Amino acid sequence: MAENRASVYAEGVPCWVDAQLPDVEAGKRFYGELFGWTFEDWFGPFTRALKDGEPVAALVRKMDGRLPTVWTVYFSTPDARALVRRVQAAGGQVVQSPVPAAELGVTALVTDPDGAVFALWQPREHPGFGRRHEPGAFAWAELYARDTEAANTFYGDLFHEALFGPEAEPDFGRAPVSDVFPAEMPPHFLVHFAVEDVPAALEEVTRLGGRVQAPPFETSYGTVAVVTDDQGASFALLRR
Protein backbone atom coordinates (compact mmCIF):
# COMPACT_ATOMS: atom_id res chain seq x y z
CA MET A 1 0.00 0.00 0.00
CA ALA A 2 1.34 3.42 -0.90
CA GLU A 3 2.00 5.78 1.93
CA ASN A 4 2.65 9.43 1.14
CA ARG A 5 4.35 12.02 3.33
CA ALA A 6 4.69 9.74 6.34
CA SER A 7 5.25 12.06 9.30
CA VAL A 8 5.90 9.80 12.26
CA TYR A 9 7.81 6.56 12.49
CA ALA A 10 7.82 4.59 15.73
CA GLU A 11 11.15 3.58 17.22
CA GLY A 12 12.59 0.62 15.35
CA VAL A 13 10.72 1.25 12.08
CA PRO A 14 12.95 1.55 8.99
CA CYS A 15 12.53 5.21 8.04
CA TRP A 16 15.31 5.99 5.52
CA VAL A 17 17.99 4.51 3.27
CA ASP A 18 21.06 5.90 1.57
CA ALA A 19 23.77 4.62 -0.74
CA GLN A 20 27.48 5.38 -0.37
CA LEU A 21 28.80 5.54 -3.94
CA PRO A 22 32.10 6.45 -5.62
CA ASP A 23 30.22 8.33 -8.37
CA VAL A 24 26.93 10.01 -7.44
CA GLU A 25 26.28 11.20 -11.00
CA ALA A 26 26.49 7.62 -12.23
CA GLY A 27 24.19 6.60 -9.38
CA LYS A 28 21.65 9.21 -10.46
CA ARG A 29 21.65 7.82 -13.99
CA PHE A 30 21.29 4.21 -12.81
CA TYR A 31 18.55 4.69 -10.21
CA GLY A 32 16.82 7.43 -12.14
CA GLU A 33 16.27 5.08 -15.08
CA LEU A 34 15.55 2.00 -12.95
CA PHE A 35 13.06 3.51 -10.51
CA GLY A 36 12.01 6.79 -12.12
CA TRP A 37 13.69 8.85 -9.42
CA THR A 38 14.51 12.52 -9.77
CA PHE A 39 17.19 14.22 -7.70
CA GLU A 40 17.96 17.41 -5.85
CA ASP A 41 20.94 18.72 -3.90
CA TRP A 42 20.31 18.23 -0.20
CA PHE A 43 22.90 18.92 2.48
CA GLY A 44 26.66 18.44 2.46
CA PRO A 45 27.61 15.63 0.08
CA PHE A 46 24.08 14.17 0.05
CA THR A 47 21.75 14.12 -2.95
CA ARG A 48 18.10 13.39 -2.24
CA ALA A 49 16.12 11.02 -4.47
CA LEU A 50 12.45 11.79 -5.09
CA LYS A 51 9.62 9.64 -6.42
CA ASP A 52 6.73 11.74 -7.72
CA GLY A 53 8.15 14.66 -5.75
CA GLU A 54 8.39 12.82 -2.41
CA PRO A 55 11.67 11.75 -0.74
CA VAL A 56 12.53 8.06 -0.99
CA ALA A 57 16.33 7.76 -0.51
CA ALA A 58 19.66 9.57 -0.67
CA LEU A 59 22.91 9.10 -2.54
CA VAL A 60 26.19 10.26 -1.05
CA ARG A 61 29.70 10.30 -2.46
CA LYS A 62 32.15 8.16 -0.53
CA MET A 63 34.77 10.38 1.10
CA ASP A 64 37.18 7.46 1.55
CA GLY A 65 37.73 4.81 -1.11
CA ARG A 66 38.25 2.20 1.60
CA LEU A 67 34.61 2.52 2.68
CA PRO A 68 32.19 -0.05 1.24
CA THR A 69 29.87 0.77 -1.64
CA VAL A 70 26.63 -0.06 0.12
CA TRP A 71 23.01 0.74 0.88
CA THR A 72 22.35 1.50 4.56
CA VAL A 73 19.03 1.29 6.37
CA TYR A 74 18.09 3.80 9.11
CA PHE A 75 15.82 2.94 12.04
CA SER A 76 13.79 5.72 13.59
CA THR A 77 14.22 6.71 17.24
CA PRO A 78 13.10 9.62 19.40
CA ASP A 79 16.48 9.62 21.18
CA ALA A 80 19.58 8.49 19.28
CA ARG A 81 21.92 8.78 22.28
CA ALA A 82 19.68 6.65 24.47
CA LEU A 83 19.31 4.04 21.74
CA VAL A 84 23.09 3.92 21.19
CA ARG A 85 23.52 3.13 24.88
CA ARG A 86 20.99 0.31 24.60
CA VAL A 87 22.76 -1.06 21.53
CA GLN A 88 26.05 -1.11 23.44
CA ALA A 89 24.47 -2.70 26.51
CA ALA A 90 23.08 -5.47 24.29
CA GLY A 91 26.49 -6.25 22.79
CA GLY A 92 26.49 -4.03 19.72
CA GLN A 93 29.19 -1.57 18.72
CA VAL A 94 29.24 2.14 17.84
CA VAL A 95 30.74 3.02 14.46
CA GLN A 96 29.75 6.70 14.58
CA SER A 97 28.38 8.41 17.68
CA PRO A 98 25.23 10.53 17.29
CA VAL A 99 25.85 13.71 15.28
CA PRO A 100 23.48 16.37 13.93
CA ALA A 101 22.69 16.35 10.22
CA ALA A 102 22.09 20.09 9.81
CA GLU A 103 18.53 20.79 11.02
CA LEU A 104 17.23 17.55 9.55
CA GLY A 105 17.87 15.26 12.50
CA VAL A 106 20.50 13.33 14.42
CA THR A 107 22.18 10.23 13.03
CA ALA A 108 24.39 7.45 14.38
CA LEU A 109 25.93 4.30 12.89
CA VAL A 110 26.10 1.08 14.91
CA THR A 111 26.45 -2.69 14.55
CA ASP A 112 24.60 -5.56 16.12
CA PRO A 113 26.61 -8.21 18.06
CA ASP A 114 27.08 -10.21 14.84
CA GLY A 115 28.62 -7.19 13.05
CA ALA A 116 25.74 -6.13 10.77
CA VAL A 117 25.82 -2.35 10.29
CA PHE A 118 22.73 -0.16 10.53
CA ALA A 119 21.98 3.50 11.17
CA LEU A 120 19.75 5.36 13.62
CA TRP A 121 17.71 8.44 12.79
CA GLN A 122 16.29 10.91 15.31
CA PRO A 123 14.10 13.19 13.17
CA ARG A 124 13.85 16.95 13.31
CA GLU A 125 12.86 18.53 9.99
CA HIS A 126 13.24 15.29 8.04
CA PRO A 127 11.02 12.44 9.32
CA GLY A 128 12.11 9.94 6.69
CA PHE A 129 10.41 8.42 3.67
CA GLY A 130 7.72 10.47 1.99
CA ARG A 131 6.76 7.37 -0.01
CA ARG A 132 7.26 3.68 0.71
CA HIS A 133 5.55 0.36 -0.05
CA GLU A 134 5.04 1.21 -3.72
CA PRO A 135 7.05 0.62 -6.92
CA GLY A 136 10.30 2.55 -6.90
CA ALA A 137 10.31 3.03 -3.12
CA PHE A 138 11.54 1.20 -0.03
CA ALA A 139 9.57 -1.95 0.77
CA TRP A 140 11.56 -4.15 3.16
CA ALA A 141 14.89 -4.63 4.98
CA GLU A 142 16.18 -8.16 5.45
CA LEU A 143 18.95 -8.93 7.92
CA TYR A 144 21.18 -11.77 6.77
CA ALA A 145 22.70 -13.08 10.00
CA ARG A 146 25.03 -15.89 11.00
CA ASP A 147 23.28 -16.40 14.34
CA THR A 148 19.56 -15.94 13.80
CA GLU A 149 18.62 -16.71 17.40
CA ALA A 150 21.01 -14.04 18.68
CA ALA A 151 19.52 -11.62 16.12
CA ASN A 152 16.02 -12.45 17.35
CA THR A 153 17.05 -11.63 20.90
CA PHE A 154 18.96 -8.44 20.06
CA TYR A 155 16.39 -6.83 17.76
CA GLY A 156 13.42 -8.23 19.64
CA ASP A 157 14.60 -6.49 22.79
CA LEU A 158 15.80 -3.33 21.01
CA PHE A 159 12.72 -2.76 18.83
CA HIS A 160 10.04 -4.78 20.60
CA GLU A 161 7.10 -2.49 19.90
CA ALA A 162 7.94 -2.08 16.21
CA LEU A 163 8.31 -5.83 15.73
CA PHE A 164 5.78 -7.29 18.17
CA GLY A 165 3.57 -4.46 19.42
CA PRO A 166 -0.22 -4.62 19.00
CA GLU A 167 -0.13 -2.36 15.92
CA ALA A 168 3.19 -3.59 14.53
CA GLU A 169 3.49 -4.07 10.77
CA PRO A 170 7.21 -4.82 10.46
CA ASP A 171 9.21 -3.86 7.38
CA PHE A 172 12.12 -5.90 8.69
CA GLY A 173 12.95 -9.62 8.77
CA ARG A 174 15.94 -11.89 9.14
CA ALA A 175 17.36 -15.01 7.54
CA PRO A 176 20.61 -17.01 7.68
CA VAL A 177 23.34 -15.62 5.43
CA SER A 178 23.67 -19.03 3.77
CA ASP A 179 20.07 -18.92 2.51
CA VAL A 180 21.09 -16.57 -0.32
CA PHE A 181 24.78 -15.70 0.01
CA PRO A 182 28.01 -17.69 0.44
CA ALA A 183 28.59 -18.71 4.06
CA GLU A 184 31.66 -16.43 4.27
CA MET A 185 29.57 -13.32 3.48
CA PRO A 186 29.55 -10.98 6.53
CA PRO A 187 26.20 -10.40 8.25
CA HIS A 188 24.44 -7.43 6.68
CA PHE A 189 21.15 -5.69 5.94
CA LEU A 190 19.76 -5.89 2.42
CA VAL A 191 17.51 -3.00 1.37
CA HIS A 192 14.53 -4.02 -0.81
CA PHE A 193 12.80 -1.74 -3.30
CA ALA A 194 9.34 -2.57 -4.63
CA VAL A 195 8.82 -3.27 -8.33
CA GLU A 196 5.77 -4.26 -10.35
CA ASP A 197 7.58 -6.92 -12.41
CA VAL A 198 10.75 -8.57 -11.10
CA PRO A 199 11.94 -10.14 -14.42
CA ALA A 200 11.45 -6.85 -16.26
CA ALA A 201 13.33 -4.97 -13.54
CA LEU A 202 16.19 -7.49 -13.77
CA GLU A 203 16.47 -6.85 -17.49
CA GLU A 204 16.68 -3.13 -16.76
CA VAL A 205 19.35 -3.64 -14.10
CA THR A 206 21.46 -5.59 -16.59
CA ARG A 207 20.90 -3.02 -19.35
CA LEU A 208 22.09 -0.27 -17.00
CA GLY A 209 25.33 -2.11 -16.18
CA GLY A 210 24.32 -3.83 -12.94
CA ARG A 211 24.31 -7.56 -12.38
CA VAL A 212 22.11 -10.24 -10.86
CA GLN A 213 23.45 -11.80 -7.66
CA ALA A 214 20.48 -14.07 -6.96
CA PRO A 215 17.68 -14.73 -9.48
CA PRO A 216 14.07 -14.52 -8.29
CA PHE A 217 13.12 -16.66 -5.31
CA GLU A 218 10.05 -16.84 -3.08
CA THR A 219 9.97 -15.59 0.50
CA SER A 220 7.26 -15.14 3.12
CA TYR A 221 7.06 -11.46 2.14
CA GLY A 222 7.09 -11.77 -1.67
CA THR A 223 9.20 -12.56 -4.73
CA VAL A 224 12.77 -11.29 -4.37
CA ALA A 225 15.83 -10.96 -6.60
CA VAL A 226 19.20 -9.67 -5.37
CA VAL A 227 21.22 -7.38 -7.64
CA THR A 228 24.07 -4.91 -7.62
CA ASP A 229 24.15 -1.52 -9.29
CA ASP A 230 26.86 -0.55 -11.78
CA GLN A 231 29.16 0.49 -8.90
CA GLY A 232 28.77 -2.65 -6.78
CA ALA A 233 26.12 -1.65 -4.20
CA SER A 234 23.82 -4.59 -3.46
CA PHE A 235 20.06 -4.25 -3.08
CA ALA A 236 16.96 -6.33 -3.71
CA LEU A 237 13.91 -6.06 -5.92
CA LEU A 238 10.62 -7.11 -4.30
CA ARG A 239 7.20 -7.91 -5.73
CA ARG A 240 4.67 -8.42 -2.93
Side-chain angles (χ1 to χ4, degrees):
M1 180 179 68
E3 179 174 322
N4 300 333
R5 189 52 70 183
S7 59
V8 176
Y9 291 99
E11 184 164 67
V13 173
C15 67
W16 194 242
V17 292
D18 67 22
Q20 296 257 347
L21 302 174
D23 186 340
V24 168
E25 289 302 314
K28 289 163 67 174
R29 289 191 295 272
F30 182 92
Y31 292 102
E33 292 195 39
L34 180 62
F35 293 137
W37 291 353
T38 58
F39 300 91
E40 63 182 14
D41 292 338
W42 202 18
F43 76 97
F46 287 83
T47 295
R48 187 161 69 165
L50 308 174
K51 179 70 173 178
D52 298 328
E54 298 285 355
V56 291
L59 309 180
V60 59
R61 184 172 63 83
K62 291 197 301 183
M63 305 306 290
D64 185 333
R66 295 170 295 181
L67 294 173
T69 301
V70 66
W71 278 97
T72 300
V73 60
Y74 290 68
F75 291 90
S76 187
T77 177
D79 189 333
R81 292 190 181 280
L83 185 52
V84 163
R85 290 193 292 269
R86 287 163 48 208
V87 166
Q88 290 178 297
Q93 302 293 322
V94 178
V95 179
Q96 176 187 286
S97 297
V99 294
E103 299 302 316
L104 302 173
V106 177
T107 184
L109 196 64
V110 297
T111 77
D112 66 18
D114 213 16
V117 176
F118 60 100
L120 311 178
W121 183 254
Q122 177 185 327
R124 290 177 179 167
E125 294 181 359
H126 174 65
F129 300 120
R131 288 184 178 270
R132 58 178 182 167
H133 303 161
E134 65 179 82
F138 170 85
W140 188 261
E142 187 78 351
L143 169 67
Y144 284 95
R146 288 211 178 95
D147 188 337
T148 54
E149 290 306 313
N152 290 347
T153 299
F154 177 81
Y155 293 99
D157 290 346
L158 201 65
F159 299 142
H160 186 270
E161 285 301 308
L163 293 172
F164 306 115
E167 299 182 4
E169 296 182 3
D171 287 335
F172 163 36
R174 66 102 184 105
V177 167
S178 56
D179 276 7
V180 176
F181 299 97
E184 62 270 18
M185 173 74 76
H188 64 284
F189 280 93
L190 185 66
V191 172
H192 292 50
F193 295 103
V195 295
E196 293 180 342
D197 184 326
V198 172
L202 289 178
E203 290 183 6
E204 190 71 356
V205 166
T206 302
R207 182 186 72 81
L208 292 168
R211 65 183 181 87
V212 178
Q213 281 187 284
F217 58 95
E218 297 302 317
T219 72
S220 61
Y221 52 92
T223 302
V224 174
V226 182
V227 300
T228 66
D229 66 18
D230 57 345
Q231 299 182 66
S234 295
F235 61 99
L237 305 171
L238 171 63
R239 171 73 168 128
R240 303 199 79 165

